[in-house]
Amino acid sequence: MRDEPIRSDRERQLAGWPKARLVVLDEGGRTPVDWGDVRRPRDRWDMISGSGARLVTRPTSGEEPPEDAVLLGEHDGTAYWAVRGEVDLVAGEDPTDWADLRTVGAALDALGAGLLTGAVAVLNWHAAARFCARDGSPMHPRAAGWHRVCEANGHEEYPRTDPAAICLVHDGADQVLLARQPVWPEGRYSVLAGFVEAGESLEACVLREIHEEVGVRVRDVSYLGSQAWPFPRSLMVGFSAVADPDDPIVPADGEIAEAMWVTRADLRAALDEGDWGARPKAERPLLLPGKVSIARSMLESWAALD
């Protein structure tokens, strides 16, 4: 899909433009979606149910890509570009069929999820990088949207990625440590995470963040996997670590509303009930992160262990 040489091959870009497809994002990061058999969320805390949602791309117009378009790559001979645009409905289209990555990402296929993630990440960067960090002069996109050059001195800037460590803390047996942020609804918990500081390793970040957020010391840090999380430009790097459940939990004021140890049996029960359980959310003791997040995958994998 991604192919760096194409970004500097203007002749190839122009040749493919008439048959290319556009991923259109509005200012809120929403894009047209064909929901298929997916049950749509009722609010931002509900998760989608089903599979088969499809990213709806648009045809191109004009003889060449606009200056602010981003070439996401090619797939099966078709070039895909990302652009920012208004919610311009085509005939018969429902405005509620526009959704953001958090809402629909888990139901898209690999191509759709990859296109939408890349589009959100790079377009967000362009919106925040209009002026040169060195001399303050206006910057303009180059290389099909993959870097910007300042007017005054030709300085180049590239899309940023800010690493964050996300860690599943367990006791080495059958308990996992979950926490709730103050802005989350009652009952919603997830694993702990935090941004990597300058000059800090990922492993050191895990040790520091867990202790800062809940007052617990962890050990045996192990890598699990990663996920691009373009809100606005993060890379979530997943780890597991072991802690002593007898250590006192001290939630960080203003960052963590509450934290608790949860048994594997209780976690499995919450997963078995599903995102659309029969009981009202207020009556459910444990609400989990959405399926689009690496946090959910980490918890599902740990719950599946014997």
Side-chain angles (χ1 to χ4, degrees), residues 167-188:
C167 186
L168 185 147
V169 179
H170 61 94
D171 66 349
D174 67 345
Q175 293 187 97
V176 64
L177 182 60
L178 302 181
R180 183 176 71 84
Q181 294 184 13
V183 296
W184 293 354
E186 293 288 335
R188 180 168 295 278

Side-chain angles (χ1 to χ4, degrees), residues 17-182:
W17 178 249
K19 295 183 179 180
R21 304 294 299 182
L22 298 178
V23 178
V24 181
L25 299 186
D26 70 6
E27 291 302 321
R30 299 182 306 151
T31 193
V33 173
D34 178 354
W35 289 91
D37 66 350
V38 176
R39 183 174 181 180
R40 304 179 211 182
R42 293 168 293 190
D43 59 55
R44 62 175 297 204
W45 298 109
D46 278 324
M47 274 75 77
I48 52 181
S49 177
S51 61
R54 183 178 63 86
L55 196 67
V56 177
T57 59
R58 299 284 174 85
T60 59
S61 61
E63 298 182 354
E64 62 182 15
E67 184 187 35
D68 59 355
V70 176
L71 177 59
L72 300 174
E74 290 186 354
H75 180 74
D76 289 342
T78 299
Y80 290 88
W81 294 74
V83 294
R84 192 77 73 178
E86 301 290 333
V87 180
D88 182 18
L89 303 180
V90 298
E93 187 174 74
D94 185 341
T96 64
D97 288 340
W98 283 61
D100 62 17
L101 179 60
R102 283 189 177 96
T103 304
V104 76
L108 294 172
D109 60 13
L111 176 62
L115 288 171
L116 185 53
T117 301
V120 171
V122 183
L123 291 179
N124 280 351
W125 170 71
H126 278 291
R130 299 187 182 278
F131 299 94
C132 181
R134 296 186 184 183
D135 57 39
S137 68
M139 302 198 78
H140 302 283
R142 297 288 186 271
W146 284 92
H147 71 256
R148 295 176 73 91
V149 177
C150 76
E151 287 183 359
N153 295 292
H155 297 138
E156 296 183 354
E157 292 187 8
Y158 294 82
R160 283 187 53 180
T161 297
D162 296 337
I166 181 167
C167 186
L168 185 147
V169 179
H170 61 94
D171 66 349
D174 67 345
Q175 293 187 97
V176 64
L177 182 60
L178 302 181
R180 183 176 71 84
Q181 294 184 13

Side-chain angles (χ1 to χ4, degrees), residues 68-304:
D68 59 355
V70 176
L71 177 59
L72 300 174
E74 290 186 354
H75 180 74
D76 289 342
T78 299
Y80 290 88
W81 294 74
V83 294
R84 192 77 73 178
E86 301 290 333
V87 180
D88 182 18
L89 303 180
V90 298
E93 187 174 74
D94 185 341
T96 64
D97 288 340
W98 283 61
D100 62 17
L101 179 60
R102 283 189 177 96
T103 304
V104 76
L108 294 172
D109 60 13
L111 176 62
L115 288 171
L116 185 53
T117 301
V120 171
V122 183
L123 291 179
N124 280 351
W125 170 71
H126 278 291
R130 299 187 182 278
F131 299 94
C132 181
R134 296 186 184 183
D135 57 39
S137 68
M139 302 198 78
H140 302 283
R142 297 288 186 271
W146 284 92
H147 71 256
R148 295 176 73 91
V149 177
C150 76
E151 287 183 359
N153 295 292
H155 297 138
E156 296 183 354
E157 292 187 8
Y158 294 82
R160 283 187 53 180
T161 297
D162 296 337
I166 181 167
C167 186
L168 185 147
V169 179
H170 61 94
D171 66 349
D174 67 345
Q175 293 187 97
V176 64
L177 182 60
L178 302 181
R180 183 176 71 84
Q181 294 184 13
V183 296
W184 293 354
E186 293 288 335
R188 180 168 295 278
Y189 290 84
S190 186
V191 296
L192 295 157
F195 283 103
V196 181
E197 293 187 344
E200 184 177 49
S201 71
L202 290 164
E203 293 81 2
C205 176
V206 170
L207 299 177
R208 175 183 57 78
E209 281 288 344
I210 301 301
H211 185 255
E212 287 180 356
E213 293 194 345
V214 293
V216 172
R217 300 287 185 183
V218 299
R219 63 185 187 277
D220 300 336
V221 178
S222 300
Y223 174 75
L224 296 178
S226 65
Q227 178 188 26
W229 193 249
F231 303 109
R233 50 177 179 261
S234 300
L235 174 67
M236 305 301 294
V237 186
F239 295 90
S240 67
V242 178
D244 186 344
D246 292 330
D247 286 349
I249 295 175
V250 184
D253 186 35
E255 292 190 35
I256 302 297
E258 52 188 328
M260 64 181 181
W261 288 95
V262 175
T263 67
R264 200 186 311 267
D266 286 342
L267 182 60
R268 287 173 174 171
L271 291 169
D272 288 343
E273 185 159 358
D275 298 326
W276 295 83
R279 288 185 292 165
K281 285 184 290 185
E283 298 177 7
R284 297 173 63 184
L286 185 61
L287 296 170
L288 300 174
K291 293 181 179 178
V292 72
S293 68
I294 189 175
R296 177 60 170 262
S297 300
M298 294 162 67
L299 288 169
E300 288 178 339
S301 297
W302 184 83

